[in-house]
């Protein structure tokens, strides 16, 4: 038990810090996405002169928002799930079934990390976006953004999901061994959710 708690502590601390930071970056991303969309609507329908970049920028921010907020939602159990059967089970049996499901999810996420790594290092990732530009510090000028910057949202998101999955596996093992009451809660109070 002590070993499991010792393994859980750094993973839980990592997730507490990184996922909270990711949450705030995701909030900024969604705000920027909305600004891009409103800007495009204004230029297209009011000025009748659509800009070339807001659509692609909005997709970029949406993908990063998703990659950064999905791990937090997964950790808090906010994904859509059918958990009626688990709620009807004894705590330890439910923890055992959850553990099996988490192990399957861990295998899938590990596989997805490989796919993400291939995507960010592929020839496609070296290609340039159609209309997004970044400052090239080496050359001192603007250049089209590499598609890899977009693909990193998948890669980062899947890595964070895998780390959350490891935490959930450790928590399931601790619950299975009968020490669920010693675990720090990771789901916010309903009042806290409503305040957001």
């Amino acid at each position: 038990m002590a070993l499991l708690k010792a393994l859980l502590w750094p993973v839980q601390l990592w997730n507490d810090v990184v996922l909270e930071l990711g949450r705030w970056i995701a909030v900024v991303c969604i705000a920027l996405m909305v600004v891009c969309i409103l800007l495009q609507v204004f230029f297209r329908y009011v000025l009748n002169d659509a800009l070339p970049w807001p659509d692609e920028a909005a997709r970029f921010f949406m993908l990063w928002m998703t990659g950064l907020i999905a791990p937090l939602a997964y950790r808090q159990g906010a994904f859509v799930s059918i958990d009626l059967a688990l709620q009807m089970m004894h705590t330890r049996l439910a923890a055992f079934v959850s553990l099996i499901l988490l192990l399957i999810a861990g295998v899938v996420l590990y596989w997805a990390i490989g796919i993400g790594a291939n995507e960010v290092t592929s020839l496609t990732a070296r290609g340039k976006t159609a209309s997004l530009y970044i400052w090239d510090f080496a050359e001192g000028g603007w250049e089209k953004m590499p598609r890899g910057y977009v693909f990193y949202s998948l890669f980062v998101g899947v890595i964070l999901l895998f780390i959350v999955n490891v935490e959930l596996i450790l928590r399931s093992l601790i619950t299975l061994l009968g020490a669920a009451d010693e675990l720090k809660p990771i789901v916010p109070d309903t009042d806290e959710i409503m305040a957001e």
Side-chain angles (χ1 to χ4, degrees), residues 26 29-30 33 59-73 79 153-154 157-158 161:
C29 284
I30 200 166
M33 180 181 77
R59 280 192 301 274
F60 174 81
F61 291 126
M62 179 188 65
L63 289 169
W64 272 101
M65 181 266 307
T66 303
L68 293 172
I69 207 67
L72 181 63
F79 282 175
S153 64
L154 164 73
V158 171
L161 282 165

Side-chain angles (χ1 to χ4, degrees), residues 98-162:
S98 291
L99 178 62
I100 298 300
L101 295 173
L102 288 168
L103 289 170
I104 293 168
V107 170
V108 171
L109 289 169
Y110 181 77
W111 177 63
I113 289 172
I115 293 172
N118 287 338
E119 287 298 317
V120 297
T121 58
S122 70
L123 185 59
T124 307
R126 291 188 206 120
K128 304 293 185 178
T129 58
S131 59
L132 295 179
Y133 287 84
I134 60 169
W135 184 260
D136 182 0
F137 289 99
E139 299 293 325
W142 292 96
E143 70 171 20
K144 287 191 175 183
M145 185 174 75
R147 290 189 185 277
Y149 290 16
V150 177
F151 296 159
Y152 268 108
S153 64
L154 164 73
F155 189 49
V156 169
V158 171
I159 289 172
L160 292 175
L161 282 165
F162 183 80

Side-chain angles (χ1 to χ4, degrees), residues 1-12 170 174:
M1 183 64 67
L3 176 62
L4 288 175
K5 288 181 183 175
L7 290 172
L8 177 63
W9 182 80
V11 177
Q12 186 171 290
L170 291 170
I174 291 169

Side-chain angles (χ1 to χ4, degrees), residues 151-182:
F151 296 159
Y152 268 108
S153 64
L154 164 73
F155 189 49
V156 169
V158 171
I159 289 172
L160 292 175
L161 282 165
F162 183 80
I163 296 168
V164 166
N165 199 69
V166 169
E167 178 187 1
L168 295 176
I169 287 171
L170 291 170
R171 293 175 72 84
S172 241
L173 285 170
I174 291 169
T175 301
L176 195 58
L177 295 173
D181 55 335
E182 298 174 24

Side-chain angles (χ1 to χ4, degrees), residues 15-28:
N15 285 335
D16 286 345
V17 172
V18 171
L19 296 183
E20 186 63 22
L21 176 64
R23 177 176 170 236
W24 287 108
I25 295 171
V27 167
V28 170

